[in-house]
Amino acid sequence: MAGPVAFFAVFFAYPVTAIVARGLKVDGAWQLGRIADVVTQSDIRHVLWFTTWQALASTALTLLVALPAAYVFARLDFPGKQVLRAVVTVPFVLPTVVVGTAFLALVGRGGLLDAWWGIRLDTTVWAILLAHVFFNYAVVVRTVGGLWSQLDPRQEEAARMLGASPLSAWRRVTLPALAPAVAAAALMVFLFTFTSFGVVQILGGPTFSTLEVEIYRETSEIFDLSTAAVLTLVQFVAVGAILAVHAWTVRRRESALRLVDASVTARRPRGAGQWSLLAGVLATIAVLLVLPLAVLVGRSLDAPGFGYYRALTREDGGTFLVAPITAIGTSLQYAVAATVIAVLIGSLAAAALARRDAGRIVRGFDALLMLPLGVSAVTVGFGFLIALDEPPLDLRQSWLLVPLAQALVGAPFVVRTMLPVLRAVDGRLREAAAVLGASPWRVWREVDLPLVRRALLVAAGFAFAVSLGEFGATVFIARPDNPTLPVAVARLLGRPGDLNYGQAMALSTILMVVCAVALLVLERLRTDRTGEF
């Protein structure tokens, strides 16, 4: 645990603490009264209310739309199922900037709805809610569907034989068994939407602001570090409570169920009802998930002769110091470095957490590993600039600053992917190898590594995709001559003109293709034992 603890202490706890202290300390004295002053302001109360309300609405809407798909992927077998599973997961690994851009192309000025029916939904709450459903659809499908596929269907069939109707059997037998997974998925969706930044920043305009967007505004536009620090503390407390409840639901899910092999529970659709449900789910996926991405690609091709793509190779001397196309190579280099760091730190943490003799303190660190996913990435990025500016940690001019921030987000995915596999390794295999004289390193290399190699590759793929799309922290620390793809997209969208808008669509399409390719490779590597996320 020494490596992971040191990493998160230096590159997460220290920068966040530094930026909060900078905002709440005046002449060395804590100004705790500032907390009450900020949270009682009418505009801040509105931000808190909207953040909570839109997260609840997004969670409810996501569950309503995605639960039928969870059943379809769990219980029905049909051609193209594996490819469709990858398609469903693509939005989850897409950067939020790309998600916002895709919906802007669909519902914004000159978008598909505007061109066909004169309807514009950008800068409305509906655009934000739909984009959140698009982004979190896979969370429900994977989390709930993964458990649903392993529930023994004979229990529900027994209830039917005893006279229960299909609805009653599902409500009394299946739903209670699914409740922990549904609760876990709902909490994760709520967490992601509660801390939403890129989607609200692009689609909300000046009208709507979540806590994360408000922290960014107070930090980078108004330069009010005091208010930003208070909002960071509020978000930190809320995220901590969400993660505590999530950890409890996951423990219930792991200990309360008897599961069967998922490969024997899926069957070909039977009857008009199942065929209709399958058709409805396919239509929903086509409209909600595929259409925005297709419109995004179409808008990037509006200029004749791939004009928007060719414009990416030119330096304009305004938005960037280099040609926008260089952001592709920069992003790939940063993402590879971040993946190496995340895999190293996440693997060490997973190995420690998987030990059966791990103490309570070590197990408690499991929940803390999730905090970088919920704490303001804007705060982390600005904290890097504030805290890491003196020897021996003067990294502001170092290229490593961006990969380190990205690795903070990627490491939790590595832990979540590898931990179930490491816990499933039979300890007697290690003991037998040790008795035969193998060193600890050789035991790991010849016993553990062959069993977890595939999970390690999946974890690396997720870390790469997540690092590639990180925006909240990178927007502060990426240098003007080395912008990443999400930062380049955001800067182009912030400038007027059709050429800038088209280039943003082109860069978003490139970023989407890279993430989709990584996802398809992951789907080929994925096994049921590697977990869902």
Side-chain angles (χ1 to χ4, degrees):
M1 289 297 297
V5 169
F7 179 79
F8 280 92
V10 173
F11 297 112
F12 177 68
Y14 176 48
V16 171
T17 303
I19 192 65
V20 171
R22 179 70 66 92
L24 293 181
K25 269 189 175 182
V26 177
D27 297 328
W30 288 94
Q31 304 295 317
L32 298 181
R34 179 62 177 158
I35 297 177
D37 294 339
V38 170
V39 297
T40 55
Q41 295 176 14
S42 59
D43 55 338
I44 298 300
R45 288 204 310 270
H46 177 74
V47 169
L48 293 172
W49 162 248
F50 177 74
T51 301
T52 306
W53 177 87
Q54 63 83 26
L56 288 171
S58 297
T59 302
L61 193 58
T62 303
L63 289 174
L64 180 65
V65 174
L67 281 176
Y71 170 83
V72 165
F73 280 99
R75 292 298 197 216
L76 302 184
D77 187 21
F78 51 92
K81 181 177 178 179
Q82 295 303 320
V83 174
L84 193 63
R85 187 194 296 270
V87 170
V88 166
T89 313
V90 164
F92 180 74
V93 299
L94 285 180
T96 55
V97 171
V98 174
V99 175
T101 307
F103 273 83
L104 194 64
L106 179 63
V107 303
R109 174 180 57 86
L112 187 66
L113 295 183
D114 188 19
W116 285 7
W117 296 295
I119 299 175
R120 288 184 56 184
L121 296 178
D122 58 326
T123 69
T124 70
V125 70
W126 280 109
I128 295 173
L129 295 181
L130 289 175
H132 282 161
V133 174
F134 170 91
F135 185 76
N136 294 289
Y137 189 87
V139 175
V140 177
V141 171
R142 291 277 189 159
T143 304
V144 180
L147 178 62
W148 207 335
S149 66
Q150 293 180 280
L151 291 181
D152 192 343
R154 292 174 296 184
Q155 298 176 0
E156 189 172 326
E157 292 170 0
R160 294 284 306 277
M161 292 180 64
L162 293 173
S165 65
L167 179 60
S168 178
W170 181 84
R171 181 170 56 86
R172 293 177 177 270
V173 177
T174 304
L175 183 58
L178 287 176
V182 174
L187 285 166
M188 290 306 296
V189 173
F190 184 85
L191 173 64
F192 291 139
T193 53
F194 186 85
T195 58
S196 181
F197 176 56
V199 168
V200 180
Q201 177 81 347
I202 293 175
L203 296 177
T207 307
F208 301 105
S209 180
T210 57
L211 267 174
E212 187 85 355
V213 174
E214 188 64 21
I215 292 171
Y216 174 78
R217 192 174 70 89
E218 297 286 347
T219 303
S220 63
E221 298 178 8
I222 303 178
F223 304 107
D224 187 350
L225 291 184
S226 177
T227 300
V230 171
L231 296 180
T232 297
L233 289 176
V234 171
Q235 186 169 342
F236 186 85
V237 171
V239 167
I242 295 169
L243 291 177
V245 177
H246 179 265
W248 177 76
T249 59
V250 168
R251 284 196 299 270
R252 261 188 79 192
R253 174 183 169 184
E254 289 178 345
S255 61
L257 299 174
R258 289 186 177 182
L259 306 178
V260 299
D261 186 357
S263 63
V264 302
T265 61
R267 301 175 180 175
R268 296 281 294 180
R270 293 178 295 183
Q274 290 189 347
W275 280 109
S276 298
L277 180 62
L278 176 59
V281 168
L282 294 177
T284 300
I285 292 173
V287 173
L288 181 65
L289 304 186
V290 177
L291 181 60
L293 300 181
V295 172
L296 172 65
V297 175
R299 291 299 300 273
S300 73
L301 298 173
D302 276 351
F306 298 95
Y308 293 141
Y309 289 91
R310 287 189 288 106
L312 296 176
T313 62
R314 298 196 295 265
E315 298 182 24
D316 62 1
T319 306
F320 306 101
L321 300 179
V322 294
I325 196 69
T326 61
I328 300 173
T330 301
S331 290
L332 292 174
Q333 293 171 8
Y334 285 158
V336 169
T339 300
V340 173
I341 298 171
V343 168
L344 176 62
I345 297 300
S347 299
L348 290 173
L353 293 169
R355 291 179 60 91
R356 290 175 174 81
D357 58 348
R360 182 175 299 178
I361 295 178
V362 174
R363 291 194 300 268
F365 188 66
D366 188 13
L368 296 179
L369 288 171
M370 296 290 289
L371 281 177
L373 296 180
V375 172
S376 171
V378 172
T379 300
V380 174
F382 198 58
F384 268 39
L385 296 181
I386 296 296
L388 306 180
D389 63 340
E390 296 179 358
L393 291 175
D394 187 3
L395 299 175
R396 286 195 299 181
Q397 300 302 318
S398 173
W399 67 273
L400 273 174
L401 203 61
V402 174
L404 287 170
Q406 294 174 343
L408 282 172
V409 183
F413 286 90
V414 176
V415 175
R416 294 269 69 79
T417 303
M418 294 193 63
L419 190 56
V421 182
L422 287 170
R423 283 174 173 167
V425 175
D426 192 341
R428 292 174 297 182
L429 297 176
R430 301 187 185 102
E431 295 170 0
V435 168
L436 293 174
S439 65
W441 166 247
R442 189 175 181 185
V443 170
W444 161 255
R445 180 166 53 87
E446 297 192 11
V447 176
D448 290 82
L449 185 58
L451 297 174
V452 304
R453 183 185 293 114
R454 184 165 293 183
L456 187 63
L457 292 173
V458 171
F462 269 119
F464 177 81
V466 171
S467 300
L468 195 66
E470 204 287 322
F471 174 64
T474 308
V475 70
F476 275 96
I477 57 181
R479 297 170 57 179
D481 57 342
N482 284 304
T484 63
L485 278 170
V487 172
V489 171
R491 289 179 182 173
L492 286 168
L493 287 175
R495 296 186 68 189
D498 289 337
L499 180 60
N500 290 313
Y501 185 81
Q503 289 183 87
M505 296 294 167
L507 277 181
S508 296
T509 301
I510 294 172
L511 187 52
M512 178 191 70
V513 170
V514 174
C515 290
V517 170
L519 214 296
L520 289 173
V521 172
L522 289 183
E523 194 62 29
R524 295 291 300 271
L525 295 172
R526 189 186 66 85
T527 66
D528 288 333
R529 297 185 65 186
T530 60
E532 294 299 339
F533 283 107

